[in-house]
Amino acid sequence: MSLKPLNVVIIGGSLAGLMHGIVLSHLGHDVHILERHNSTLFGHGSGITAMENVQAFIDKYDTSKQPYAITSPSMQFINRKAEFLKVWNIVLQMTGWNTLYFRLRANFDGLQSDFSSRQHPSVAEEETQAHRDKQRSIYDQGKTVTDIKDTNGSLTVVFESADGTGSIEADLVIAADGPNSTVRRMMQPDLQREYVGYVAWRGTVLESDVFEPTKEVFKERLTYFNMNGSHSLAYFIPGENGSLRPGERVINLIWYTNESNTSLADIMTDKDNYRHRNTVPPGKLREEVWNQQVGRALRDLPAPFTELVQKASQLFVQVISDMALGRASFLQGRLLLVGDALSCFRPHAGSSTNQAALSPLLLDKVMGQEMTIEEWEIEVLGYAKVTGLFSVALGNKNQFGFTAFLVGLFWFGQAWIGQWMSMAVASDTSSAASLLQSPQYSRLSIPFHYRLPATTISAGLVGFILGISHGGQMAGLRFRAENAHRLPSSSTGWYLYHKSKNYNMALGGVKEGLKMGIKLSFWVGAFFTIEDAIDGTLGKQDFMSTTAAGLTVAGVFSACCKFVTDREKRDHAENALSDKFPLHTAARMTKIGLLSGLGFGLVQDALSLVKGNRLDYVDFVLGKSRLSRHAMDQLIERKID
């Protein structure tokens, strides 16, 4: 991007918009934030996990250097009787939306509030004060953006306000207008949020209002309670005006419950009979709806959580939804989607604000010409995809059970691998040798040192899923067979019977899943390693290497199993193991390896030809001259130049 000062318009004045405004203002650009709300924003007292990107942002850009979070030394899980089940030693920093918002406002446009008292300017701030006098950091409220026009090489942002229609010219527009982004609907109208089957009930309770036994249970730790179709969590966050003093802090409560479409419609209809799409704000929840929820709490939740539900204030309900991931950069990098406007995570990963902080930290590098806007887009989309799928896996586990979690975990693993490879490949084009390992010349368009871990991990995940299904089924059948002679005769007995059976199925499934995942991962890794070794030996890549690799792996796999001949079976020899391969099965396995390798190799060759690469045997068949190694080196050198 250009080094000259830019006129930047940021649509949306919440956390993501402020973070981008602070970074760009710090770099000397003129920043104008357009916020649709007329009054100062408040986040209903919502809690936020300040993860690594948020911490890095505050450390770098907050001039007050005042504490803003409460440390949760661990994560703990309790049962219905409020007894501790397990503790994970994961240290987290918990803060509140209001605390973070007013801290960011103080750093962007100098807003004074009870949440933030700015210290005397630091040396770094004094050095840039002369430039700040010449630039603008404007936070403009009551402006609802309606259109963005690309005219004469610049962008025109059109908005509506109490004064009528207005517009602002911009070199760069950043859309940080939240999960219901107007800009996203303009640029990607097909992306829609989809309800996933549950909602979050949220509220806060002043620490001084709860009983001592309840304080003793939570102990400033992130605390979870799980049950079928529901889970709840609570943690301490800063209190009124950002206070961190014991007694003045608040406990943030989140309770997830599965809701049908019918019950959802009832919950989302407020006291004014207005149906909300995504959130019923504080003060709008119908009394009968909340009273029903309090009744559920008395029936289902541990006493500490029940007390929080009964005493919670600032109550609001949030619909949990998913949305497909689109693009982050438009109009040659002059229009960017960031924060929740780009991707709406489920809350379980606690990473929405972390995503909001990552984007401006990377944009700082773009402005400093340390990375391109295309690389910025790859990173923010990769983070959004991986984190989004991780939050789906966590939500599925807590609300719908272990099987749904495994499915979500599989897609998360696939996304993580894809992001890791795309970032690594993007940086792997510095020499002729690396160009030969670039997507243009590599099998499957993936260099071997990324292809090997990607395929082995993918195979391991597939094997794990298949093993869980098979192992769980077999363990269940085994349990039924072993207990067929002693079936229970009472309802309590049947309850314990099924509970034991489910435990055995889960344990057997995990064991078989791990075993099958490791085996499949090993043999797939062996196949691709042998294929690459043959490629290196022959100095070329074609179907012959793949065929040889398939034949070799199938042969070695068969050899690892003891052959059992028909005669051994007839004689019932002591060393004739029935679960090993008969000789004819080993031969068939070798044949399958040969044909599979041949087919896969030809598919790879076809893809290589589509990319414009030359294959020796194709040149020979078509009567074309072969491309010599010297000519290939010259071609690579020309591409690098």
Side-chain angles (χ1 to χ4, degrees), residues 226-332:
N226 291 67
M227 60 177 290
N228 291 334
S230 172
H231 77 286
S232 52
L233 61 146
Y235 52 89
F236 284 81
I237 62 173
E240 186 177 1
N241 300 330
S243 175
L244 303 178
R245 296 187 185 94
E248 297 180 2
R249 304 171 300 184
V250 298
I251 303 175
N252 188 61
L253 167 70
I254 310 174
W255 182 14
Y256 298 96
T257 60
N258 292 350
E259 304 292 346
S260 66
N261 288 330
T262 302
S263 62
L264 178 68
D266 184 56
I267 291 169
M268 300 305 292
T269 302
D270 67 14
K271 60 175 59 177
D272 299 323
N273 205 35
Y274 176 77
R275 167 68 189 273
H276 296 267
R277 288 186 303 168
N278 300 303
T279 302
V280 179
K284 292 294 185 179
L285 194 62
R286 299 197 335 266
E287 185 176 354
E288 61 269 27
V289 170
W290 182 244
N291 288 339
Q292 183 181 10
Q293 200 64 16
V294 171
R296 294 173 68 177
L298 291 168
R299 184 183 69 245
D300 298 333
L301 297 184
F305 279 101
T306 300
E307 183 183 353
L308 295 184
V309 171
Q310 292 175 312
K311 296 179 177 179
S313 61
Q314 295 291 312
L315 297 166
F316 66 101
V317 183
Q318 175 186 2
V319 172
I320 307 303
S321 57
D322 289 336
M323 184 183 69
L325 185 64
R327 294 170 54 193
S329 175
F330 303 87
L331 305 177
Q332 296 79 47

Side-chain angles (χ1 to χ4, degrees), residues 51-53 178-179 184 193-194 196 198 200 202 256 318-325 338-359 379-395:
M51 302 183 77
E52 71 280 358
N53 294 326
R184 185 182 65 234
R193 298 173 67 177
E194 296 183 3
V196 298
Y198 60 99
R202 309 185 69 142
Y256 298 96
Q318 175 186 2
V319 172
I320 307 303
S321 57
D322 289 336
M323 184 183 69
L325 185 64
V338 300
D340 288 341
L342 171 65
S343 176
C344 305
F345 301 149
R346 299 189 195 182
H348 314 291
S351 297
S352 179
T353 310
N354 207 44
Q355 173 184 238
L358 172 65
S359 176
E379 291 213 27
V380 297
L381 287 178
Y383 181 87
K385 184 174 184 179
V386 171
T387 308
L389 289 172
F390 181 58
S391 70
V392 169
L394 292 178

